[in-house]
Amino acid sequence: MGDGRHGLLSARGLTEAALVYAAHAFRLIAPLLLYPVLTRRLGLEGFGHYAAGLSLALMVSAVVEYGFGLSGPRDIAQAKTDERGQVVGRVLGARLWLAPVGLLLGGMLALSNPVLRGNPWAVAGALALGVAQGSSVLWFFQGVRRPGVAATAEMLGQGAAMVVILCWASASVGGALAVQALGLGGGIAAGAVLMIRETRPVWPTTREVVAVLRGDFALFASRGLIVAYTGASAFVVAALAGPAQAALYGVADRLVLAATSFLRPLAGLIGPRVSGLMRDDPDAAYRTTRWSLILTPGVAGAGAVVAVLCAPFAIRLLFGAAFASAAEVLRVLALILPLVAVSQVLGPQLMTPLRMDRAFAVVVGVGCGVTLIAAAVLAPSAGAIGMAWARVIGEAAVVAACVICLRAHWTHLTPGLRRDNAAAI
């Protein structure tokens, strides 16, 4: 590990990691500042509308993003310098096609949900936020191993939006969502300018856009299914159990989501590195993944213990007595933290560099199906608690499916097992 080539991260990588995690630390802190204000301003049912709007935004973002957050860093990392403009152009061109599709789908979903159907301003804000979330250019900077600049730009935009919402005492659900969309969009626009200055996009033909959409469809399916059983949970609870239960689930889910967001930049930092090493030094790639598989779930498990112990105090302090029932929801949802950590390492950090996109789509499909079936059984009667247990069951299914799909690679991830097999032969 001395030269930084075969270690987990180089010295420059550690600097980039520090910048990325500073941005994600802000994402963890922001809800702790913003949600206590919104829960008290909007009340239990009003915050339920807000939580359903955030879920709708995530579903729209999944269409616009289309899995490029996974394939983009990989393709940029593996492309030669003079080929990066073609990769950037294909992604930008595809997203111009995808944005109207996401808006149309989001509008149809909003009409199907009784909580959002009567609040057109909330729907408009959620749709705008979804397009902004799906348009991030962080993938490019992850691919060139300088994600700190884009993460910082997005953080500054989100920070400005949070300040506006905190100062806007009469902000409605739709107003809060719209301000968040404008803030994040401004940060992404700044990152896009830096990206275009560094790498001039080569505008794709229609055939090339269709080809890239077809080629990344498996990743899109994976991303869409992930959103369907994770980010869309509050939307599902609102439809099945009403806005009050959506609010209880929403505050707990947002805290857990903030915690799991610390796992995503690690995938963005390590995934492109593993992609490069798979080409040049496969043993180092598996060694990097092995260390990540040890460290990441360990940290996530410690976070889960803290969440379980502190849930009642944290919920009352942050959101008030009206949300006290969310403590039990948080305790259940905290169980997914180590499970998500394992699936993040085995999925985006290993299966994506191995180009096991279709297998990963199957894995996520299993998780989505199991979660939605469990939700349909548990949420109507148990509300937020039922949805939380459905999430735990679904995440466990994802881990099990990852382990099965990667069975041919376990000898590379576990040197002891490989030595035992060699000795037996």
Side-chain angles (χ1 to χ4, degrees), residues 9 42 76-77 97 123 168 191 198 231 282 292 310 312 317 370 392 406 408:
L9 288 174
L42 301 175
I76 288 292
W97 284 33
V123 173
W168 186 9
E198 178 171 333
S292 184
C310 299
L317 176 66
V370 170
V392 174
L406 287 167

Side-chain angles (χ1 to χ4, degrees), residues 33-46:
L33 298 174
L34 182 59
Y35 291 179
V37 174
L38 289 179
T39 52
R40 288 167 172 82
R41 287 179 182 172
L42 301 175
L44 188 62
E45 294 210 355

Side-chain angles (χ1 to χ4, degrees), residues 4-31:
R5 174 176 172 79
H6 302 314
L8 194 60
L9 288 174
S10 65
R12 190 184 74 176
L14 289 174
T15 302
E16 291 293 329
L19 291 172
V20 172
Y21 271 94
H24 277 73
F26 171 79
R27 292 185 183 182
L28 175 62
I29 295 170

Side-chain angles (χ1 to χ4, degrees), residues 76 80-90 199-203:
I76 288 292
K80 297 179 181 178
T81 302
D82 58 355
E83 297 173 343
R84 289 174 178 171
Q86 296 174 338
V87 177
V88 171
R90 287 195 297 266
T199 302
R200 289 286 181 181
V202 177
W203 202 250

Side-chain angles (χ1 to χ4, degrees), residues 329-354:
V329 183
L330 178 57
R331 280 176 163 169
V332 175
L333 280 177
L335 301 178
I336 74 172
L337 291 175
L339 295 172
V340 170
V342 173
S343 63
Q344 282 284 309
V345 175
L346 297 181
Q349 292 184 33
L350 182 58
M351 294 180 76
T352 298
L354 288 170

Side-chain angles (χ1 to χ4, degrees), residues 42-239:
L42 301 175
L44 188 62
E45 294 210 355
F47 191 82
H49 286 79
Y50 177 77
L54 287 176
S55 287
L56 178 62
L58 281 173
M59 288 186 279
V60 173
S61 75
V63 177
V64 180
E65 194 266 348
Y66 201 80
F68 294 129
L70 292 174
S71 66
R74 177 189 66 194
D75 294 343
I76 288 292
Q78 295 180 348
K80 297 179 181 178
T81 302
D82 58 355
E83 297 173 343
R84 289 174 178 171
Q86 296 174 338
V87 177
V88 171
R90 287 195 297 266
V91 173
L92 295 181
R95 282 183 171 171
L96 284 178
W97 284 33
L98 293 166
V101 177
L103 290 172
L104 177 62
L105 177 62
M108 294 171 62
L109 288 171
L111 290 175
S112 72
N113 190 301
V115 172
L116 289 174
R117 191 163 52 224
N119 196 337
W121 291 112
V123 173
L127 295 179
L129 180 58
V131 172
Q133 289 173 335
S135 301
S136 173
V137 296
L138 182 60
W139 58 272
F140 172 81
F141 294 95
Q142 288 172 338
V144 297
R145 298 185 187 178
R146 289 189 292 102
V149 60
T152 301
E154 292 185 16
M155 177 187 67
L156 293 175
Q158 291 172 310
M162 186 184 71
V163 170
V164 172
I165 294 171
L166 291 176
C167 295
W168 186 9
S170 60
S172 64
V173 171
L177 292 169
V179 169
Q180 287 178 274
L182 287 172
L184 178 59
I188 291 172
V193 169
L194 294 175
M195 176 183 71
I196 292 172
R197 288 180 61 184
E198 178 171 333
T199 302
R200 289 286 181 181
V202 177
W203 202 250
T205 64
T206 299
R207 181 176 297 178
E208 288 173 330
V209 172
V210 172
V212 75
L213 292 176
R214 184 184 295 116
D216 281 358
F217 180 78
L219 288 176
F220 163 65
S222 302
R223 170 66 174 158
L225 291 170
I226 288 173
V227 169
Y229 77 89
T230 57
S233 297
F235 186 90
V236 172
V237 174

